[in-house]
Amino acid sequence: MNPPYNGPSFLPGPPIDRTTWEGWRRWCDTRRAFIPAPVLTAAEFALKSPRQQRLYNLHRLATHSSLPIDVTPMSERVAHAVLARVEDGAFSHKACTRGGIMVNGDGAQGKTETVCEALAVFEETWMALNSYMNPDALPGTRDLVAPVAYVRCPVKATPISTCQRILDFYGEDYKGMRLEDLVRTVKTAIVEHATRALVIDDITRLKLHREADQDVLDLIREMMSMPVTLILVGVGIPTSGLLREGRRDPKTLEWIYQPIKDRGRSPNDHAASQHERRFQIVDLDPFRYTAGPEMAAWMDHLARMEGHLRLLNDAKGMLTGDDMPEYLFDRTGGVVGVLEKLIQHGCRRAIEERSERLTKELFNQFTVTPGDMPDLDAESGEQPKIPPHKPTLGKKKPKGRNAAFDDDGPAAAGETG
């Protein structure tokens, strides 16, 4: 009988839904809990039993499927802006409108994860400062404390459905409520649960060609009068109509908004300009490969990713050597989510083929498609822009593609030349 696998458990727990308070708290508590597979050499791997080899390969699969989201210069700038705006509102003693922030960027850039990580850090600090209690709770009561609330904008949103999404986060009952009751209950919930930051993700599901979309914008503006900072996350916000139509200056990378010439038939002619004044907008951009500092940042990112790989050959230089950085940039456009999927596919293929090495020839065997990222919402424009790639014929795949993961024989994954 083979001894049990001596590594940590890598099985995922129940799915986490951050749009509920319980799910958000569990994500905050466990977001760094995953333990990657240990680093083994080919010789160490060969000493293991077939059963242990298979379990180690599955642990490597989980490791490559759970690559950490490394901080980039772009995400660091966005996280700082979000944290600064939330802290400015949370520590203000004034009874005035809190300024909001809009996080804009294309799909697979890591907008949601960047915002959630920044707010998790804020929540930990805020809770510690308040002794993990609601500072506004009545004496003798103990309320659910939710410094951060995370919701997603409903498809074809209405003020009613938007309020319901917010109340779902807190687990509040809203059965049979009319709109005015829902709005009042949302305001009460935000205050009583001591919420300081409210995230509305996929905000560009609002297309603004419907009157209901304009009504949702009015609701959002009304929420800004409460002691909470609004963080809206979406794709193409400057050109969505949530703000005035804008263009980005290619030199300063700042958004420039043209004067309003035609207010059109909108039921709220001033909604866009009011939002422009009340919200800061910050962009989460992809990597660029055009200047010294930008190229260095891309190289640093690839080097960190090499450290996360669990291949039996030493991964140092696999992503950063020769012309691989330029090749990977051409394949991904500098988009971190596309790069992650490309490397994830490549690592699985390298294990299956027992080469244990990432090469251009291996990457050429497949493409990354929007179907590889089903969690990105097409309704809000989240599908990433993946550079076109015509796969070339790689070496012939070995018989029994999943031999490295099968349980019926040894997987000599380290047998390389």
Side-chain angles (χ1 to χ4, degrees), residues 329-348:
F329 187 85
D330 290 340
R331 288 293 306 272
T332 65
V335 178
V336 293
V338 179
L339 174 67
E340 178 184 324
K341 284 298 178 181
L342 185 69
I343 291 175
Q344 178 185 332
H345 290 337
C347 287
R348 183 180 183 101

Side-chain angles (χ1 to χ4, degrees), residues 347-364:
C347 287
R348 183 180 183 101
R349 187 70 60 86
I351 295 173
E352 290 175 342
E353 295 183 348
R354 304 177 184 176
S355 66
E356 297 290 332
R357 184 176 297 279
L358 298 178
T359 64
K360 289 189 292 183
E361 291 73 22
L362 182 140
F363 284 133
N364 281 337

